[in-house]
Amino acid sequence: MTAREEMLAAMRRNAPRETPRPDLARLGVKFADPAAKFAESLQGVGGTCLRVPDLAVAGRAVAELPVRQAAKKVVSLVPEVEPGNLDLAAVKAPRELEGLDLTVLRGELAVAENGAVWVDAQLLPHRAIFVIAEHLVLVVDAAGVVNDLHEAYARLAGRPAAYGLFISGPSKTADIEQALVIGAQGARSCTVLLVG
Amino acid sequence: MSAPPSATGELERTVDHAAAAARFVADDAKAHWHDQALWWVRKKRDAASAAVPDWEALRDAAAGLKAHTLSRLGDYLDEFARNAEARGAHVHFARDAAEHNAIVHGILQERGITRLVKSKSMLTEECHLNPYLEARGVTVTDTDLGERIVQLRHEPPSHIVLPAIHLKKEEIGELFHRELGTAEGASDPKVLTEAARQHLRQRFLEAEAGLTGVNFAIAETGGVVVCTNEGNADMGSTLPRVHIACMGVEKLVPRREDLAVFLRLLARSATGQPVTTYTTHFHGPRPDGELHIVVVDNGRSRQLADPVFRRSLSCIRCGACMNTCPVFRRSGGYSYGYIVPGPIGSILGPARDPAGHRTLPFASSLCGSCSDVCPVRIDLHHELWAWRKELVKRGLLPWRKRAAMKLAGAVLRFAWLYRLAGWVARRLVPALPRRLAYGRWNAWGRQRELPPMPRQTFRQLYRSHRDRS
Ligand code: SF4
């Protein structure tokens, strides 16, 4: 027998009597103003939320960001908001991305209870761009704000499972005497523009 | 100091928790500091859980989902593997640690890879992967900051979520000065973290493969989920072309929506954060890359057969039971001599090797605090108690404890003997010189004072009260 068959057989043989799957329908939280709660949660994990009425204002808001003004290499996948200046098609290996100052990406869902933004990264030309960049800007439609993770996964359920992630604020660590340090390995800042 | 594990990462085989803990508490100031550091994390956990209105319902759901999954683990693993393969991942099966290590090494060897970056995985610690690979010419870099620190010190992690919680920033400063060339005496966590960032970036850029652990594997979609705050798993899985993800069979969840339950509990229980910074879902490899998933049994299916101890397979490795345990906080992670320390490790360790870990179920006050905080409702203190009974049954108790229990059993069996013992003790103990009363034989008296002997027995007291009323 292969290891696969042996392991499956052992698990089936040793399993206890079947217990039913619990009902998850009643779980969850509701907030009076989910967008405001999202901004508060994001701030709590070290990020910044900016509310803007439309993409034009979003563009101006990004241009004014100190991290944008100091940035030399910028990758943007939201050209309506930020043109960017690095052509990803010209990048062959992801390690050439070292030195990237800013990445601007579209996020699809913003979760009020924890300040996380869902980024579908399946089609990113180089998946490293969200983590290798020194700073990160995420652009999310206000209609994409949900109360909690149950709602977030319910929305994702309609789509094929892809490579994607929840990002909640900048990279951080508290491994040295529990002192919180922002900018451990990934982005040193995370700004979310909530549009609409 | 705590017991130093050998350079290969192998810990002493037979652990004497009390003796190792005594070495840890010998540095009184540091032991207190350790206690306070963990208590602070515990308080953050309390605040985070109190802010979630459906917390108890979430724990019920998590426990129910785990029980359901374990009862059909074979089916879900089968479903997971088929779905993962359909998405282009290679799924490997390992019956034990040796097979796991050989599979990982085989993947690297076939591709001529000698530089591996790793993000945190307790499973690879369990399998002693690092020394195995290093002996075969592979340079392994642990990239979680806490893990990198203990790796540079040639130590295993002392805590599953906070691997370097036993170290002061000055000790890390000295280490980094020696190993990474930071300024002498620099101990500011910001400065040290920045130095590690630069050092680790270099390793990520040079690496040819990245290995990560797995927090959850989804049967329905064939995906694996990895949670980190630093983003090191993301660096390791996006920069090199080859990604290897290693998981124990118990990481399975049936459906994608189940993640909501576990993710709402995990980070809050671990560090008091609402969620980890990065929660990355991998479905298949990147277009030009490879994704290998190594699924490991290593005793888990045997544990599944045990009606009492199978519940410990539900553990999501949040570390909350350690942060709250009064014994862990005061004795340090290394005193357990097992990859997973604290209350949950004291159940898993003896399951693997009862004789070698027989002191661990006694490293608990049975106060129940661990069971109270456990997000998946493992009845930890009951299981620890059950282990004690099991060790007695198997004749694995140390002779001192056995003798003391025998004596207590005899005294409690005969009322006249109990009365006599009380009478003797009340007269004898106050008259004894300290040296005799707290001699080597009185293990209990090492950290405690005997209570003052009462003048009256409880029976006398009870009688006089009854007569008065
Ligand atoms: S036993 Fe419970 S509290 Fe302890 S690490 Fe596992 S899930 Fe967390």
Side-chain angles (χ1 to χ4, degrees):
Chain A
M1 266 208 293
T2 62
R4 179 179 191 145
E5 288 160 353
E6 235 177 78
M7 281 167 60
L8 291 178
M11 276 179 262
R12 289 185 169 124
R13 189 170 60 239
N14 293 349
R17 206 155 44 87
E18 182 163 347
T19 38
R21 203 189 132 78
D23 178 16
L24 310 183
R26 248 172 297 169
L27 298 169
V29 276
K30 294 270 176 287
F31 300 100
D33 182 350
K37 176 67 189 174
F38 170 77
E40 181 196 321
S41 298
L42 181 60
Q43 198 188 350
V45 294
T48 311
C49 179
L50 301 175
R51 307 276 295 267
V52 289
D54 55 43
L55 289 177
V57 183
R60 286 202 292 279
V62 170
E64 278 168 20
L65 288 175
V67 294
R68 172 63 190 92
Q69 286 169 356
K72 291 193 187 68
K73 282 201 222 173
V74 180
V75 162
S76 173
L77 288 147
V78 199
E80 319 87 282
V81 168
E82 157 65 48
N85 59 20
L86 189 80
D87 178 15
L88 273 181
V91 174
K92 280 188 283 302
R95 43 182 72 105
E96 294 168 20
L97 289 163
E98 170 64 358
L100 180 61
D101 295 302
L102 176 68
T103 295
V104 183
L105 281 177
R106 202 170 255 296
E108 291 177 43
L109 299 169
V111 188
E113 72 157 337
N114 60 21
V117 171
W118 174 260
V119 177
D120 184 332
Q122 183 74 13
L123 297 176
L124 284 189
H126 285 292
R127 291 179 175 183
I129 55 170
F130 72 85
V131 70
I132 203 167
E134 296 283 307
H135 299 279
L136 190 61
V137 169
L138 299 169
V139 183
V140 188
D141 248 2
V145 179
V146 295
N147 281 291
D148 57 26
L149 283 174
H150 306 285
E151 280 183 29
Y153 280 108
R155 290 222 194 161
L156 293 176
R159 295 190 244 161
Y163 171 72
L165 70 160
F166 286 109
I167 301 178
S168 176
S171 161
K172 48 191 154 293
T173 183
D175 272 347
I176 300 176
E177 278 200 22
Q178 287 299 290
L180 183 70
V181 181
I182 303 280
Q185 313 216 20
R188 297 175 194 268
S189 77
C190 175
T191 309
V192 179
L193 293 163
L194 216 48
V195 186
Chain B
M1 269 309 296
S2 39
S6 73
T8 60
E10 284 281 354
L11 289 154
E12 316 168 45
R13 236 189 69 79
T14 300
V15 233
D16 181 347
H17 177 269
R23 287 196 289 275
F24 183 79
V25 293
D27 186 344
D28 191 57
K30 195 169 174 188
H32 275 98
W33 169 82
H34 186 263
D35 174 26
Q36 286 308 310
L38 285 165
W39 186 246
W40 188 60
V41 185
R42 152 81 209 254
K43 281 199 292 199
K44 286 199 291 180
R45 173 261 166 215
D46 286 354
S49 63
V52 176
D54 54 345
W55 186 258
E56 295 305 322
L58 271 179
R59 290 176 77 203
D60 286 335
L65 279 172
K66 282 288 180 183
H68 167 71
T69 312
L70 289 177
S71 74
R72 289 190 46 201
L73 198 54
D75 298 339
Y76 283 131
L77 179 57
D78 199 14
E79 184 185 349
F80 166 76
R82 280 186 283 112
N83 284 330
E85 281 163 344
R87 290 175 187 281
H90 300 273
V91 185
H92 308 260
F93 290 78
R95 279 168 285 219
D96 54 27
E99 278 189 3
H100 163 266
N101 292 349
I103 289 167
V104 173
H105 180 237
I107 297 168
L108 301 177
Q109 199 179 26
E110 266 172 45
R111 290 159 186 77
I113 294 174
T114 56
R115 279 170 305 200
L116 177 72
V117 280
K118 254 180 70 195
S119 80
K120 202 155 77 192
S121 145
M122 294 314 292
L123 176 68
T124 57
E125 288 290 328
E126 173 185 323
C127 297
H128 300 296
L129 178 70
N130 287 18
Y132 178 92
L133 289 180
E134 265 154 10
R136 283 156 187 80
V138 179
T139 309
V140 183
T141 307
D142 282 325
T143 58
D144 171 90
L145 177 57
E147 288 231 316
R148 184 65 183 140
I149 292 168
V150 294
Q151 186 185 34
L152 288 172
R153 284 172 60 96
H154 307 289
E155 283 175 359
S158 82
H159 185 292
I160 58 174
V161 175
L162 317 160
I165 185 77
H166 59 297
L167 296 171
K168 307 274 289 186
K169 58 181 192 285
E170 289 77 17
E171 294 172 272
I172 298 167
E174 250 172 69
L175 177 78
F176 277 19
H177 170 60
R178 217 171 41 238
E179 301 283 343
L180 309 182
T182 50
E184 191 161 7
S187 66
D188 176 15
K190 256 203 197 125
V191 172
L192 298 179
T193 303
E194 186 61 34
R197 178 185 174 103
Q198 303 307 335
H199 159 72
L200 288 168
R201 284 231 157 187
Q202 228 37 57
R203 294 294 172 103
F204 280 121
L205 293 168
E206 289 163 5
E208 304 151 288
L211 187 149
T212 67
V214 168
N215 289 91
F216 306 99
I218 315 157
E220 175 190 41
T221 63
V224 295
V225 178
V226 184
C227 309
T228 73
N229 279 322
E230 297 176 15
N232 52 319
D234 297 285
M235 293 286 273
S237 57
T238 57
L239 285 167
R241 217 179 54 79
V242 179
H243 175 196
I244 306 172
C246 299
M247 58 175 270
V249 294
E250 80 283 12
K251 297 289 173 183
L252 280 162
V253 300
R255 300 187 196 164
R256 179 160 52 176
E257 68 187 42
D258 302 338
L259 292 172
V261 174
F262 293 109
L263 292 174
R264 291 184 67 203
L265 289 165
L266 178 62
R268 289 185 171 103
S269 299
T271 57
Q273 292 168 247
V275 72
T276 46
T277 302
Y278 302 92
T279 307
T280 309
H281 303 51
F282 297 90
H283 286 94
R286 72 181 203 211
D288 61 337
E290 295 172 46
L291 172 63
H292 296 266
I293 303 172
V294 188
V295 186
V296 183
D297 187 325
N298 206 28
R300 286 164 176 77
S301 60
R302 205 170 358 101
Q303 204 183 332
L304 189 63
D306 190 305
V308 178
F309 301 117
R310 76 163 60 102
R311 285 192 290 273
S312 52
L313 283 173
S314 309
C315 175
I316 56 172
R317 300 288 192 265
C318 71
C321 56
M322 287 154 220
N323 304 339
T324 199
C325 176
V327 177
F328 180 93
R329 283 188 274 121
R330 288 168 182 79
S331 58
Y334 292 145
S335 64
Y336 292 79
Y338 185 63
I339 324 112
V340 180
I344 181 66
S346 299
I347 296 165
L348 299 174
R352 175 109 344 132
D353 169 19
H357 300 111
R358 63 179 173 227
T359 60
L360 298 190
F362 296 90
S364 163
S365 60
L366 298 187
C367 63
S369 186
C370 46
S371 308
D372 284 343
V373 297
C374 179
V376 289
R377 285 204 199 285
I378 299 174
D379 51 345
L380 291 148
H381 71 294
H382 280 122
E383 297 205 10
L384 288 166
W385 180 63
W387 255 123
R388 293 186 186 185
K389 286 196 291 187
E390 186 62 32
L391 291 169
V392 173
K393 230 190 328 185
R394 298 194 196 179
L396 285 172
L397 225 51
W399 71 266
R400 268 171 200 278
K401 254 188 190 127
R402 227 159 41 214
M405 294 291 183
K406 270 240 169 72
L407 189 65
V411 171
L412 290 172
R413 191 150 47 232
F414 303 104
W416 65 269
L417 191 57
Y418 179 75
R419 252 174 281 156
L420 178 70
W423 189 86
V424 171
R426 275 196 313 283
R427 274 153 195 80
L428 192 62
V429 173
L432 279 181
R434 257 198 94 76
R435 233 172 337 125
L436 259 181
Y438 293 89
R440 285 178 55 84
W441 59 275
N442 184 6
W444 187 87
R446 248 178 253 148
Q447 296 89 1
R448 308 176 182 89
E449 282 294 310
L450 288 167
M453 290 294 140
R455 265 175 315 163
Q456 278 183 309
T457 65
F458 178 74
R459 288 159 65 86
Q460 288 164 342
L461 205 68
Y462 180 76
R463 261 200 215 121
S464 71
H465 268 265
R466 201 184 44 185
D467 292 348
R468 248 185 287 149
S469 57

